[in-house]
Amino acid sequence: MQGEIDLSLQSAFDLELSTVDATLLQRLRQLVIQQLKAATQSHRHPWHVAVVATCQGAEPRVRNVVLRSVGDPPLMLRFHTDLRSQKTEQIAENPNLEWLFYEHKTRIQIRLRSQARIVTQGSQWQAAWEATSLPSRRCYLGPWAPGTACEEPNVNLPSGMEHRNPSQEESHAGMQNFAIVNCQIDRMEWLYLRHDGHLRCAFERDTQDLWNASWLAP
Ligand SMILES: Cc1cc2nc3c(=O)[nH]c(=O)nc-3n(C[C@H](O)[C@H](O)[C@H](O)COP(=O)(O)O)c2cc1C
């Protein structure tokens, strides 16, 4: 199954590249967005897990997150996080957040620049929490803020919950730690490593939410 997805992802881009005309750049952009949407639906998709970078003052910080949703227009990517994690403080200080998608078999790298916003109330947040599975909710029940120093190995779960999921009722306590992070994308970059020459292009969103596309030297 993994192989099939990798193959279809790569061959979908190869198919677009087989017709070089004035629409190629916008077709590539649409395919990137289509595949990002597909990645939210399957944990087997090569882009289901991405790296997101934030800034801690002048220093970069990176970590993996699960791509939860892709909205349009304009393009918005979302991940879920623990409100107590260090990244939320970093985003509140500086909303510049970059996404990175890469999978070695596909050899396509996507970089997305965004403005991130932490959401902890309202209908989007509520709907996201309600759609969250019990195993996922368990992650928000930790007594300690993620990153807290511990004297010994510590799974940060309520005692007795190491080997089971919370009940629906127990899971509600996680709501206070649950945050969604909505990232408004303003620039996308695509790089495809190929034996017969790499290709790279970028898409910048203008004030009318139109994407200006250009080829770049790889
Ligand atoms: C495969 C994978 C998926 C992850 N998904 C998420 C996620 O969706 N949200 C999240 O906050 N952390 C996720 N994590 C944990 C983060 O990478 C990170 O360790 C944690 O959020 C603390 O980051 P921070 O200290 O920069 O806030 C994931 C880790 C891995 C390895």
Side-chain angles (χ1 to χ4, degrees):
M1 189 63 180
Q2 178 75 54
E4 280 170 36
I5 288 169
D6 294 345
L7 189 66
S8 68
L9 180 58
Q10 194 171 36
S11 50
F13 281 98
D14 287 339
L15 186 64
E16 296 300 345
L17 289 166
S18 65
T19 308
V20 179
D21 62 14
T23 67
L24 175 55
L25 279 165
Q26 296 301 344
R27 282 188 281 117
L28 289 174
R29 179 182 58 79
Q30 283 160 0
L31 184 54
V32 169
I33 295 171
Q34 181 198 313
Q35 288 298 326
L36 288 171
K37 287 181 178 173
T40 64
Q41 301 303 312
S42 168
H43 69 275
R44 292 200 183 93
H45 193 288
W47 296 346
H48 187 63
V49 174
V51 172
V52 295
T54 52
C55 300
Q56 168 87 52
E59 294 178 11
R61 295 282 185 267
V62 295
R63 81 287 286 157
N64 288 113
V65 297
V66 173
L67 174 62
R68 295 291 177 179
S69 73
V70 175
D72 62 346
L75 186 58
M76 198 270 292
L77 266 59
R78 176 185 296 166
F79 66 93
H80 297 169
T81 199
D82 191 312
L83 183 59
R84 303 166 296 171
S85 67
Q86 284 155 7
K87 70 180 83 51
T88 58
E89 218 169 288
Q90 292 155 14
I91 293 166
E93 280 276 306
N94 179 349
N96 293 323
L97 180 148
E98 185 151 313
W99 289 76
L100 174 72
F101 296 86
Y102 182 71
E103 199 277 332
H104 69 281
K105 287 186 207 139
T106 319
R107 297 162 70 83
I108 292 171
Q109 171 180 272
I110 308 293
R111 294 196 292 175
L112 306 175
R113 283 187 206 164
S114 74
Q115 294 290 302
R117 198 166 62 88
I118 300 156
V119 181
T120 55
Q121 57 183 9
S123 55
Q124 280 188 357
W125 171 81
Q126 185 79 34
W129 172 257
E130 272 156 25
T132 302
S133 66
L134 291 175
S136 297
R137 289 184 183 188
R138 195 167 81 133
C139 303
Y140 299 98
L141 295 172
W144 310 107
T148 302
C150 305
E151 280 176 8
E152 44 193 44
N154 187 328
V155 294
N156 199 20
L157 289 170
S159 92
M161 211 178 275
E162 292 83 356
H163 305 294
R164 66 173 179 90
N165 289 324
S167 66
Q168 193 75 22
E169 201 186 333
E170 286 171 322
S171 76
H172 288 140
M175 266 179 111
Q176 63 183 348
N177 301 324
F178 177 72
I180 64 175
V181 184
N182 287 340
C183 304
Q184 174 85 46
I185 307 298
D186 45 42
R187 187 177 192 277
M188 314 170 43
E189 201 179 295
W190 173 89
L191 170 69
Y192 185 10
L193 303 182
R194 305 183 312 165
H195 290 298
D196 45 355
H198 309 329
L199 285 173
R200 180 177 171 189
C201 61
F203 308 90
E204 303 238 8
R205 193 165 56 84
D206 69 15
T207 48
Q208 267 100 49
D209 288 340
L210 296 174
W211 294 95
N212 295 315
S214 54
W215 292 104
L216 303 173

